[in-house]
Amino acid sequence: MTVPALLPAPPASPVAASYARLAEVFSYLRIEEHALGEVLPRGEGWVDAEALAAGGAELDAFLAWDDEQVLRDYGTRARPDVVASFGLHRYAWPACLLVTVPWFLDRRVPRLPVRNVAFQRTLGRMAVRVEEFACLPGDPAAALPGARVVADEEALRAEVRSSLAEHFESVLDGFGSRMRRGRRALWGMATDEIVEGLWYVGTLLGEERRAMAELELLMPGTAKPYAGSAGFRELPGAEGPGGAPLTTRDRATCCFFYTLRPEDTCVTCPRTCDADRVRRLTAAA
């Protein structure tokens, strides 16, 4: 199979440095930028986010991969809604980083409607076209085409929420037809992906505490259409390396992995008790 080469970022890209830094700490994801007017990659495992949002044959093919993976790895078929939940997670987690990482690192927020994103999950690749972005006063990128200067940090956080909401409004329409969940639960999933993706990357960057503080402000629990908050909390009586408190959060939603292995839940799953979280986090540390 021919693998598309990573293209150089468009000249003076406002997000290229952020995406390059992400690749340094998280080698499983590479983001390639395309200039305005360029066609995003197709074929060879690539799927347009717009096609996933449409909920047709390309979404069927995308979810067939998850269905086959579950059968191969666990020896059983998952319910169709569980397969759709896995597929949404595997798209949404990296897609959120397209917006949150440039905001976290460089205070720039790209606008990425579904027509401007493509995904190749087996290779860990995403392709984007950044036509518009928001930034703060005094940012040198404010002079670039497509820049919109906003007043302050809270206005920039609103841009993060708005950019991701525009993208996921379409994506959730596509996946939602395959999932036995209401709109609030779907937006709870989006909230979880936003928070847990940047939390993880912040840890890789050596900035976990700052990432948590930023996410608390970004996702306070009152910003619609999102459901749930960042919701970080310390586990009482538990310490990590160097005596630092062990931190957790309770996801707004469940991924349904327990339907395959009831004894094996995520460490932030509402079904996982604090004692089990402490045991698992201490072992990992």
Side-chain angles (χ1 to χ4, degrees), residues 20-188:
R21 181 71 180 119
L22 173 61
E24 289 175 3
V25 298
F26 187 58
S27 61
Y28 299 101
L29 180 64
R30 292 289 189 274
I31 303 166
E32 62 182 57
E33 290 189 72
H34 290 254
L36 302 185
E38 285 187 342
V39 176
L40 297 182
R42 289 182 175 273
E44 298 180 326
W46 286 92
V47 61
D48 292 340
E50 196 167 28
L52 297 179
E58 290 192 66
L59 178 58
D60 288 337
F62 186 82
L63 295 179
W65 188 95
D66 296 278
D67 188 39
E68 293 166 4
Q69 177 266 319
V70 168
L71 181 61
R72 180 180 66 250
D73 291 355
Y74 304 109
T76 186
R77 291 271 184 204
R79 299 189 324 237
D81 61 304
V82 175
V83 169
S85 295
F86 290 177
L88 175 59
H89 163 68
R90 286 162 175 161
Y91 172 78
W93 196 93
C96 290
L97 299 177
L98 298 174
V99 176
T100 59
V101 168
W103 165 67
F104 182 70
L105 291 178
D106 291 321
R107 287 304 191 254
R108 296 169 186 171
V109 181
R111 202 84 182 183
L112 291 171
V114 290
R115 70 176 184 277
N116 286 351
V117 178
F119 185 38
Q120 216 292 8
R121 66 171 166 193
T122 58
L123 298 177
R125 301 288 188 265
M126 300 199 83
V128 300
R129 280 190 305 260
V130 178
E131 298 173 346
E132 181 183 350
F133 69 98
C135 62
L136 293 170
D139 187 330
L144 294 177
R148 287 190 307 104
V149 179
V150 299
D152 53 26
E153 290 281 0
E154 178 50 40
L156 199 64
R157 285 191 286 271
E159 290 289 332
V160 176
R161 292 188 289 264
S162 177
S163 176
L164 289 166
E166 177 187 11
H167 188 87
F168 281 103
E169 182 70 44
S170 299
V171 170
L172 294 179
D173 281 344
F175 281 89
S177 63
R178 317 300 173 90
M179 300 165 64
R180 298 191 299 189
R181 303 199 192 200
R183 295 298 290 179
R184 178 174 175 79
L186 290 172
W187 281 106

Side-chain angles (χ1 to χ4, degrees), residues 209-261:
R209 289 290 162 177
R210 182 168 81 86
M212 291 164 57
E214 298 274 15
L215 285 164
E216 291 278 10
L217 294 172
L218 181 68
M219 290 292 164
T222 56
K224 302 299 182 182
Y226 301 101
S229 66
F232 294 110
R233 60 184 178 87
E234 293 182 357
L235 288 164
E239 293 183 351
L246 288 177
T247 303
T248 190
R249 69 180 295 268
D250 297 313
R251 290 177 57 88
T253 58
C254 178
C255 70
F256 293 159
F257 185 71
Y258 77 91
T259 62
L260 298 175
R261 288 189 174 177

